[in-house]
Amino acid sequence: MATGLVLYSYWRSSAAYRVRIALNLKGLSYEIRPVHLVRNGGEQHAAEYSALNPLEAVPCLLDGDRVITQSLAIMEYLDEMHPELETALLPVDARGRAQVRALAMAVTCDIHPLGNLRVMQQLEAEFGASEEQRAAWSRHWIGVGFKAIEAMLVDSAATGRYCHGETPSMADACLIPQVYNALRWKLPMDDYPTIARLYRACNELEAFQIAAPEAQPDAPQSEK
């Protein structure tokens, strides 16, 4: 088992949540160093962290002297660095990899950027959007993305107990945190039965349970 991995994380960051799931699925040990995205204007903007990650965002993974940013890049890095481990985050065949990447990117490229903290803060600061308006914004864009993902999953013969087959993949690591966000914003899941089923199946696994926001060391006590 590899040691020395350090993950800069925030308990409720869905991007960091993805990487925690991936690390757990790979069976890799890691240290979490919390970065509070709200306190004191956001610890991600502090000079020390900005020097480490100029994007001023989480997650950020340290592997020795290597610094890896962006959740998808981190997950593929883990898979490529540790092919000997039993759980593969990407399938071995090109078509399977394309399907898993497409599902993952539907979350990370199409849904998540429209609802992340920076966008929500800007909606409030620039346009005076209320909390309910920001919630409605999130529900709308998550719903648009989930409609497409549901169709992709239903259309694929490879959809099984998980997004692709009978073992969880990078697609599941991306989808489950986004469902967590959807439930947080009170998006009804009735129109997305396959996504809801996958959410239940994944959360039966320890790798997902110990990656959950409420299980993190920096989660407020009221959330545990």
Side-chain angles (χ1 to χ4, degrees), residues 19 59 61 67-81 89 105 108 170:
V19 174
L61 184 75
V67 179
I68 306 101
T69 62
Q70 296 288 359
S71 61
L72 291 183
I74 293 171
M75 287 189 280
E76 294 212 25
Y77 172 81
L78 294 173
D79 227 24
E80 292 168 4
M81 288 296 292
L89 301 175
M105 289 179 182
T108 63
M170 186 169 74

Side-chain angles (χ1 to χ4, degrees), residues 200-212:
R200 292 191 297 270
C202 286
N203 280 321
E204 292 176 0
L205 301 178
E206 185 181 24
F208 288 80
Q209 294 168 3
I210 62 178

